[in-house]
Amino acid sequence: MTSSSTQSSNMMMLLLVNGFTPSDLSSSLDKLKSQTKNLGTHKQREAYWNAYGELQSTVTKYSNLDVENGKLFGLVKYYRNMDDDDGGDDDDATTKIEFEPFTKRQRAIVNTPRLMMGRHIKLLVDDDEDEASTTGKEFIMPWFGDEAEMAYQDITSGEECISIDSDRGVFVSTRMKRKNCAASISPTLKKSVDALKEFVAKELQPKLQSISWQGGSIPSANAYNVILTGVWPTSVTQHLSESNISHCNTTSMHEIYDLFLERRNYHYITQAEELIARLLTEQSKNAKSSSMEYSVHFGSMKELACAKRNALLKKVYIDSSKTKFIENAQKEAQEDGGSSFELVVIEKRSGAGAGGKFEEYGGVVFETFYKVDLSIYG
């Protein structure tokens, strides 16, 4: 089995490790291995068993006995070239293991009670009577397959949603992280949408707290990120169209975040279509002139590539189906430690609202730093 950082690979497993020594982690991986005896096909099971073995033999090098007696605090990422599952010898599969140690801030986030949501595997210790018990402090959280990459992106860079629950107060959350910022809300908020809007405009922001993995940013209410959860009176919910607030009659984090992503996607489409309308207006005004210089462009992947290649690209709204450009842009940003332009990926609309100017004009709209005629560039 080879290890490489240059070949194409996908995250197959993610482990959030909070206070396990390599020996503790090895024992827990043995338990996970025994729990996957009936997982998928034999080849899939074999791939996971090989992953457990590699992790057990590798994590020791990330441990420092001079720090916390060698305990590990960080994210362990296991990559495997998934194309190898389609055939060929498993011994030729390309794998890679990465360890991201927690910063002081990230460790504080992970150890905040009831903040990290999902399966926790606690560390077992032997008590005085030689019976196994949990410490309650050390744990690991595992994710596998497609969920591994999703969980990593959510934990490290997921945008926060602000939810106001009818019974439990104010939360800031993603799929995997949730912080209760206020244990309750005033009963007056349930009486009218005007009282609710005033609360969001004037009183909500001071209550909010950051769960950002990198730190620094406290979320603020915007056009799509405030959602009411739980049971609210119709005197409020029937008038939410007059505000930037939505309602989700559930406390499920996944359903709440799904609604958040849907609202954000609609907001992005609205922004993209406003740019299209602006360009069409400019083109109409310039119809009698020979000017071809614009700061907004749409429809052409060739022109988008040209703007990117010549460092002219400022921001792009792009349909999620254009995977080649998206994956290359994300890979370059990861390798370079950032990107020179803002990438906004838009998911396809469904239902009655499916199809509009964004789709009509090719599913790509982008801005350049200044007005330019891209046809003059090679």
Side-chain angles (χ1 to χ4, degrees), residues 58-342:
T58 301
V59 293
T60 303
K61 71 179 183 180
Y62 303 117
S63 174
N64 184 348
L65 291 176
D66 295 329
V67 180
E68 301 257 7
N69 296 318
K71 291 181 179 180
L72 296 171
F73 297 88
L75 295 171
V76 180
K77 299 177 290 180
Y78 182 90
Y79 294 91
R80 186 177 191 273
N81 188 341
M82 294 309 204
D83 292 340
D84 295 309
D85 290 335
D86 296 333
D89 190 345
D90 190 66
D91 290 338
D92 295 329
T94 301
T95 65
K96 179 176 63 172
I97 297 173
E98 294 179 350
F99 179 69
E100 288 186 18
F102 295 152
T103 63
K104 184 177 180 180
R105 172 185 174 77
Q106 291 161 4
R107 189 166 164 181
I109 288 175
V110 169
N111 283 284
T112 300
R114 297 179 296 280
L115 192 147
M116 299 300 303
M117 309 304 293
R119 182 188 180 191
H120 287 58
I121 299 176
K122 299 291 184 69
L123 174 62
L124 293 175
V125 297
D126 293 330
D127 61 20
D128 294 338
E129 298 179 0
D130 294 328
E131 294 182 354
S133 62
T134 62
T135 66
K137 297 178 181 178
E138 297 85 4
F139 61 87
I140 63 172
M141 298 179 69
W143 293 273
F144 307 96
D146 292 340
E147 289 188 351
E149 179 66 33
M150 182 274 290
Y152 177 75
Q153 295 298 333
D154 183 276
I155 291 169
T156 60
S157 59
E159 183 179 351
E160 297 96 336
C161 165
I162 301 168
S163 58
I164 306 173
D165 190 81
S166 56
D167 296 319
R168 300 180 301 156
V170 177
F171 292 84
V172 170
S173 64
T174 63
R175 287 193 194 278
M176 301 297 167
K177 298 178 293 183
R178 181 175 65 185
K179 176 70 173 175
N180 190 194
C181 302
S184 62
I185 58 173
S186 171
T188 59
L189 301 188
K190 302 179 184 180
K191 294 182 178 180
S192 73
V193 72
D194 290 333
L196 178 65
K197 288 194 293 185
E198 185 174 0
F199 171 79
V200 170
K202 299 180 179 180
E203 300 176 43
L204 178 61
Q205 186 62 41
K207 298 180 184 296
L208 301 179
Q209 300 174 38
S210 174
I211 57 172
S212 170
W213 196 243
Q214 305 304 331
S217 61
I218 295 177
S220 57
N222 60 29
Y224 57 83
N225 69 353
V226 179
I227 297 175
L228 304 184
T229 62
V231 180
W232 284 74
T234 56
S235 59
V236 172
T237 58
Q238 289 182 351
H239 299 282
L240 290 178
S241 59
E242 304 168 9
S243 67
N244 289 327
I245 307 168
S246 187
H247 177 232
C248 188
N249 189 14
T250 182
T251 58
S252 164
M253 288 180 63
H254 286 285
E255 291 183 43
I256 294 167
Y257 206 69
D258 283 343
L259 177 58
F260 162 77
L261 293 178
E262 180 183 324
R263 285 168 55 78
R264 186 178 69 175
N265 195 62
Y266 178 79
H267 177 73
Y268 288 157
I269 291 173
T270 301
Q271 289 183 321
E273 293 185 339
E274 286 174 352
L275 289 177
I276 292 173
R278 192 177 91 189
L279 176 57
L280 293 175
T281 299
E282 289 186 20
Q283 288 177 336
S284 178
K285 290 180 178 179
N286 294 341
K288 295 182 180 180
S289 70
S290 58
S291 175
M292 296 293 291
E293 294 184 345
Y294 301 101
S295 60
V296 177
H297 315 262
F298 58 63
S300 172
M301 292 300 296
K302 182 178 179 181
E303 288 191 347
L304 174 61
C306 173
K308 177 175 175 290
R309 185 171 58 251
N310 290 281
L312 298 170
L313 185 59
K314 179 182 179 181
K315 184 174 185 176
V316 56
Y317 297 86
I318 189 167
D319 189 277
S320 61
S321 64
K322 303 183 187 301
T323 55
K324 184 176 180 180
F325 179 90
I326 294 169
E327 290 173 358
N328 286 340
Q330 291 173 337
K331 182 180 178 182
E332 290 173 8
Q334 186 176 18
E335 292 174 349
D336 298 340
S339 177
S340 60
F341 62 91
E342 184 178 351

